[in-house]
Amino acid sequence: MKLFLPALLGAALSFPPIHAQAQVQADITALDAATALRPDTGRPKNVILMIGDGMGINSVTAGRIYEGQALGEDGASHRLSFDRFPYTALSRTYSADRFVTDSANGASALMTGYKTINGAIGVNDQVRARDCTSVTAARVPTLSELARAKGLAIGVVTTAPITDATPAATYAHTPFRGWQSDIDMPAQAVSQGCIDIARQLVEGEATPEVVLGAGLAYLKPEADGGRRKDGRDLVEAWRRRSGASTVVSDLAGLTASTTPRLMGLFSKAALPADADRAPDSTMPRLPDMTAAAIRALSQNVEGYLLVVEGAQIDTYHHANDPRRALAAVAEFSQAVDAARRLTDPADTLIIVTADHSHSLVLTAGADRKAPLLGLAGADGAPNKALDDAPYPTLIYGTGPSPTRPQAIARAEGSSDADALRSVAVPLSSAGHAGEDVPVYADGPQAYLVRGVIEPTYVFQLIRRALSL
């Protein structure tokens, strides 16, 4: 067996050496800051809930190394923006019917205070999968609906289709997350009174003032290049319902918008991976959309609730693509940074969390200066497993990668670092993982984020903080 290891390993990175005394001083400074910290018990005017879809602790660790190395720093000691938030907790992620949740229940628990079954949104655990007759009794109010009743403005931002599970949890009630457009609805569901998620976006009790992301096809009729068979143009329906508003289609329009009501769906499906984006792209990034949403929502004197999803962490973990997934972690971190810089920590509570984790593993053996996406090893020499072949620093438990023997055979003569990436259980799409996920908070009432909590606790915290 001949493997071309130098190309797989990549060149050693260069960054300033780590001095023990500098670390000691950094720890003392951090301890002094923690000692001086006093809980802000005031009531926030605004709340921003930021969800890194699929961003477990493993993704946070790997993401900070990835971003740090990209900046020419020591990745292991680098900090993501939300690593600097003063309050943290762990959130348990199981659903009403599974050890491991999907995004529908994960986001719905955050938005309603109730865990439900996997695949359901805006309902409690009494709902039956894909059964519209069970929705009425199981329906529970969302944070958006409670906020709207108090006069707050609502915003939803995502890199996924706006009708996907996590953004849909802010405004929809459905027994099945897959009913995004009317073309997805079975006849029985329609006869039982269910309507698709896209219609709920513009016809529900809490239609957002700000809608930014992707999935334009779910809102447009087939005659206009969309997926809707009923002929409805839901973009125009949103515009009519929202009054004075702006609909934008690119970064320039997004940046120029000054209205308090703003819609921008910049792709028929999902947005492109941030790792693949050209410098001159006319499509906005997640930090751009977050900033635009805050500018628009801040015009409401009563305050606002903004939900921001970094969806592509999950998207590319499902494909066992760590480069794109970790670039999405970095993009999400930049969006959190934008949110904190553009708001006043005295009146805006920011909570950062995830709906679930993924089976990414950072294995032992890699040198601190070795590229994270390369092979485990030190000084240019890869570690060898019991099968006498090298292995990547980042591996997955499940997904579309081959098994270990298949990966070794595939890597014969290859210079692709991904050639040796293997899984224990091959699947068409990587499964989620069930460990706890982190929660970070900053601003009024943030001190209540502590210990080991449930995602439903986050709902109760936001409800109480906004006096909903």
Side-chain angles (χ1 to χ4, degrees), residues 52-69:
D53 199 313
M55 192 184 72
I57 281 287
N58 47 6
S59 294
V60 173
T61 301
R64 70 166 69 102
I65 296 173
Y66 178 92
E67 183 180 69
Q69 289 187 345

Side-chain angles (χ1 to χ4, degrees), residues 94-406:
Y94 60 91
S95 69
D97 62 339
R98 295 287 189 272
F99 286 131
V100 180
T101 189
D102 78 326
S103 293
N105 164 73
S108 191
L110 291 165
M111 290 302 299
T112 70
Y114 290 88
K115 293 199 175 191
T116 187
I117 62 174
N118 282 6
I121 293 170
V123 288
N124 63 27
D125 60 358
Q126 298 305 300
V127 74
R128 295 184 295 274
R130 306 190 189 212
D131 182 354
C132 291
T133 64
S134 67
V135 171
T136 300
R139 179 183 175 121
V140 288
T142 67
L143 278 173
S144 298
E145 290 164 351
L146 297 175
R148 172 56 47 75
K150 193 184 176 185
L152 274 64
I154 310 300
V156 184
V157 174
T158 181
T159 52
I162 198 67
T163 51
D164 203 15
T166 300
T170 66
Y171 59 81
H173 305 269
T174 179
F176 182 53
R177 58 179 287 181
W179 294 342
Q180 297 188 56
S181 188
D182 66 326
I183 198 171
D184 306 313
M185 298 281 294
Q188 182 181 29
V190 174
S191 68
Q192 291 174 343
C194 274
I195 63 173
D196 60 87
I197 292 172
R199 277 185 62 191
Q200 293 189 54
L201 171 68
V202 301
E203 298 176 5
E205 296 178 16
T207 295
E209 281 84 358
V210 174
V211 180
L212 298 174
L216 182 62
Y218 296 101
L219 277 70
K220 301 292 282 187
E222 289 180 322
D224 199 13
R227 301 183 74 245
R228 299 202 63 84
K229 297 174 65 177
D230 59 10
R232 285 182 169 91
D233 185 334
L234 296 181
V235 174
E236 287 304 312
W238 175 87
R239 193 200 302 265
R240 289 193 301 271
R241 180 168 182 178
S242 295
S245 58
T246 302
V247 176
V248 298
S249 59
D250 57 19
L251 177 58
L254 182 71
T255 304
S257 174
T258 58
T259 59
R261 295 175 174 83
L262 174 64
M263 175 179 280
L265 300 179
F266 305 99
S267 171
K268 288 186 175 181
L271 295 180
D274 200 52
D276 301 331
R277 193 183 300 266
D280 59 350
S281 173
T282 62
M283 199 169 291
R285 301 174 65 244
L286 188 61
D288 302 320
M289 294 189 290
T290 301
I294 291 171
R295 288 197 303 270
L297 295 169
S298 295
Q299 297 179 56
N300 183 43
V301 296
E302 299 299 327
Y304 60 82
L305 171 68
L306 171 61
V307 179
V308 178
E309 181 200 22
Q312 294 182 340
I313 305 167
D314 176 72
T315 298
Y316 291 104
H317 276 327
H318 275 299
N320 285 3
D321 185 339
R323 181 178 70 89
R324 290 181 173 86
L326 299 182
V329 173
E331 181 189 25
F332 179 72
S333 174
Q334 293 160 25
V336 174
D337 180 61
R340 186 70 292 172
R341 285 187 294 100
L342 294 171
T343 57
D344 185 347
D347 69 12
T348 302
L349 168 64
I350 300 179
I351 298 177
V352 177
T353 189
D355 47 358
H356 57 76
S357 184
H358 266 276
S359 63
L360 178 72
V361 177
L362 175 61
T363 61
D367 187 275
R368 283 275 288 274
K369 294 186 178 183
L372 179 67
L373 300 179
L375 298 178
D379 300 322
N383 290 352
K384 297 290 187 71
L386 294 178
D387 54 19
D388 199 38
Y391 55 90
T393 297
L394 295 175
I395 62 175
Y396 286 90
T398 66
S401 298
T403 61
R404 177 70 171 166
Q406 292 169 330

Side-chain angles (χ1 to χ4, degrees), residues 68-83:
Q69 289 187 345
L71 294 171
E73 303 174 5
D74 168 41
S77 60
H78 178 69
R79 284 186 170 192
L80 297 169
S81 63
F82 45 87
D83 282 329

